[in-house]
RNA sequence: GUCCCCUUCGUCUAGAGGCCUAGGACACCUGGUUUUCAUCCAGGCAACAGGGGUUCGAAACCCCUAGGGGACGCCA
């Protein structure tokens, strides 16, 4: 029997996501349970959005949770490199194979033509997709266009009719009509492969036996299967997991729920509790135990026990579980050490101390002044926001604009945050001191405190976001209508900056 | 809009045709322990989406409807 090899293939384009950890956890349990390997591959074919920092954060976050891998960009392995940006020559070679066999073709269509086409199809209420415009270009025409250095992509051929049937480990047979499948771009005009292409090529050469991934991929599985067929390769077994959900059942998103693993770390959750919680999303121990370690999960794992309804990520239950871990699984000494590690992180303290030194007369002043650095959400109410110049609506706007601006920028240094706040204040027509007031209350819990700009920079985007959002809620929340107005206004601001 | 997936308490789930007057956990409520609170303990509330079949028997199998979600990018 073929050796079981599974993988997690995150793209390093943002915060380490709990959904990534969730899928990684199940892949790892399945592989280990079958005495196979679990590998990590970085899918960084999106040049514009991939960052080294994000990649590092993903490594750190998964390691923090104890979801480790036996092959990957950082640890190496026999099937490397494990970063797609370093495998370009392989994709070039493989695309030639498809070009030669006629399963792929050059497409010189402009972005504008494709946009018009899509709009037209939408208006006609037909399935949007490529119309095959470049399909019938002759060899000479193609050679001429290439010689002229016209921009092009390479697309895959797709059967015009019939349907693709495949077996999903959990869902049984799934049938999708080929007419639903677009002539997917395989190689982008920047010469890099798209996910669909790189993923199939890599899974093959890395000898991945089981692809366990989110259910969002079901509809593109036919494309992948078709590629395996074109290449004459054995396709892996597919298994589509349910998606983690927001409380309103939509796909988990940071607008509605904290999704960054860093948030849970920064809020003082234990990694054992977080990973345990993820393990009970769609899965239960055979004996019904709710508290289990990742090793216990691995030992008792059975992929077939996964239930398919999309589980709502319920922070309240996670809180309970985390409390249980703290109470039952931590000795006093461990508690002391872990808490100290969490609270007195040296890098963090080095930033905080200078802010405090000028303002304290005794050490006993420190906690009242700086306690907000360690608390989750400050204890504030509507009264905390009473202000002479600003009403609630204005404060909601300030908070929301600041949040959007913080999320836009990648730079959360104190100077960058300050600059953004000054610009926003000017745009909104507020004095900076008035502008900062709601931020002081939201972030530090008080109108008077150490620099709120430094605080945001130190606390980080994840916890800052949670606090700002909580504050907006206390201020009455933002209605759908208000959101629209604000979004428009914010776009104007963003444009004015350019 | 088209296609695909899903559907047991508010939430996470048990349930592989009779063991189901549907079990556990979170949340919530009540009571007990505790100088307060929390913990802990005891109890309570609360669900098979609807309709048709199949079957001696259906939460489980099939079909239809409804609801939810996802996909439809030179993002992954």
């Amino acid at each position: 029997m073929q050796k079981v090899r599974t993988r997690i293939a995150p793209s390093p384009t943002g915060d380490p996501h709990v959904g990534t950890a969730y899928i990684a956890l199940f892949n790892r349990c399945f592989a280990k349970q079958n005495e196979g390997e679990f590998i990590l591959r970085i899918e960084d074919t999106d040049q514009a959005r991939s960052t080294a920092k994000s990649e590092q954060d993903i490594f750190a976050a998964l390691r923090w949770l104890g979801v480790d891998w036996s092959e990957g960009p950082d640890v190496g392995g026999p099937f490397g490199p494990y970063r797609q940006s370093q495998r370009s020559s392989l994709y070039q070679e493989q695309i030639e194979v498809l070009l030669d066999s006629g399963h792929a073709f050059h497409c010189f269509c402009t972005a504008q033509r494709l946009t018009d086409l899509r709009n037209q199809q939408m208006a006609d209420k037909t399935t949007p997709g490529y119309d095959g415009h470049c399909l019938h270009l002759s060899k000479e025409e193609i050679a001429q266009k290439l010689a002229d250095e016209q921009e092009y992509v390479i697309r895959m051929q797709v059967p015009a009719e019939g349907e693709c049937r495949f077996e999903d480990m959990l869902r049984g047979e799934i049938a999708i009509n080929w007419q639903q499948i677009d002539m997917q771009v395989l190689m982008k005009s920047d010469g890099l492969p798209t996910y669909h292409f790189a993923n199939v090529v890599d899974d093959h050469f890395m000898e991945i036996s089981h692809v366990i991934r989110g259910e969002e991929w079901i509809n593109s599985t036919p494309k992948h299967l078709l590629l395996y067929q074109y290449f004459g390769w054995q396709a892996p077994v597919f298994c589509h997991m349910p998606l983690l959900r927001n409380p309103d059942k939509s796909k988990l998103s940071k607008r509605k729920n904290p999704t960054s693993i860093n948030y849970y770390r920064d809020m003082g959750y234990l990694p054992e509790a977080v990973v345990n919680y993820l393990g009970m999303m769609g899965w239960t121990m055979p004996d019904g135990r709710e508290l289990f370690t990742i090793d216990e999960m691995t030992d008792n794992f059975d992929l077939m026990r996964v239930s398919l309804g999309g589980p709502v990520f319920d922070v309240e239950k996670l809180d309970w579980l985390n409390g249980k871990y703290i109470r039952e699984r931590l000795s006093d000494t461990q508690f002391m050490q872990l808490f100290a590690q969490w609270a007195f992180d040296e890098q963090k303290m080095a930033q905080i101390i200078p802010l405090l030194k000028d303002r304290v007369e005794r050490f006993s002043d420190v906690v009242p002044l700086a306690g907000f650095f360690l608390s989750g959400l400050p204890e504030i109410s509507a009264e905390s926001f009473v202000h002479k110049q600003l009403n609630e609506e204005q404060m909601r706007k300030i908070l929301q604009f600041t949040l959007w601006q913080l999320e836009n920028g990648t730079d959360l240094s104190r100077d960058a945050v300050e600059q953004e706040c000054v610009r926003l204040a000017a745009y909104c027509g507020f004095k900076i001191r008035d502008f900062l007031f709601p931020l002081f209350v939201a972030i530090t819990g008080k109108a008077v405190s150490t620099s709120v700009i430094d605080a945001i920079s130190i606390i980080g985007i994840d916890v800052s976001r949670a606090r700002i959002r909580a504050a907006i809620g206390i201020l009455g929340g933002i209605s759908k209508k208000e959101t629209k107005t604000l979004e428009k206004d914010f776009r104007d601001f963003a444009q004015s900056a350019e």
Side-chain angles (χ1 to χ4, degrees), chain A residues 73 75 77 80 111 127 169 178 220 231 254 261 263 294 339 387 449 468 487 494:
Chain A
V75 295
T127 308
M169 235 177 133
W178 284 118
S220 34
F231 280 119
K254 70 177 172 190
I261 298 165
Y263 170 81
I294 190 169
F339 172 73
H387 191 263
S449 177
I468 290 173
E487 275 171 350

Side-chain angles (χ1 to χ4, degrees), chain A residues 178-193:
Chain A
W178 284 118
Q179 281 161 8
Q180 292 298 317
I181 309 301
D182 199 8
M183 293 177 229
Q184 178 65 47
V185 172
L186 300 178
M187 293 297 275
K188 302 182 275 187
S189 56
D190 63 4
L192 292 180

Side-chain angles (χ1 to χ4, degrees), chain A residues 15 61 64 75 109 184 197 199 228 268 274 291 363 395 436 447 480:
Chain A
D15 296 325
W64 180 69
V75 295
C109 293
Q184 178 65 47
F197 187 58
N199 163 69
Y228 282 102
V274 176
L291 259 71
F363 288 149
M395 288 193 268
L436 291 178
K480 276 209 164 133

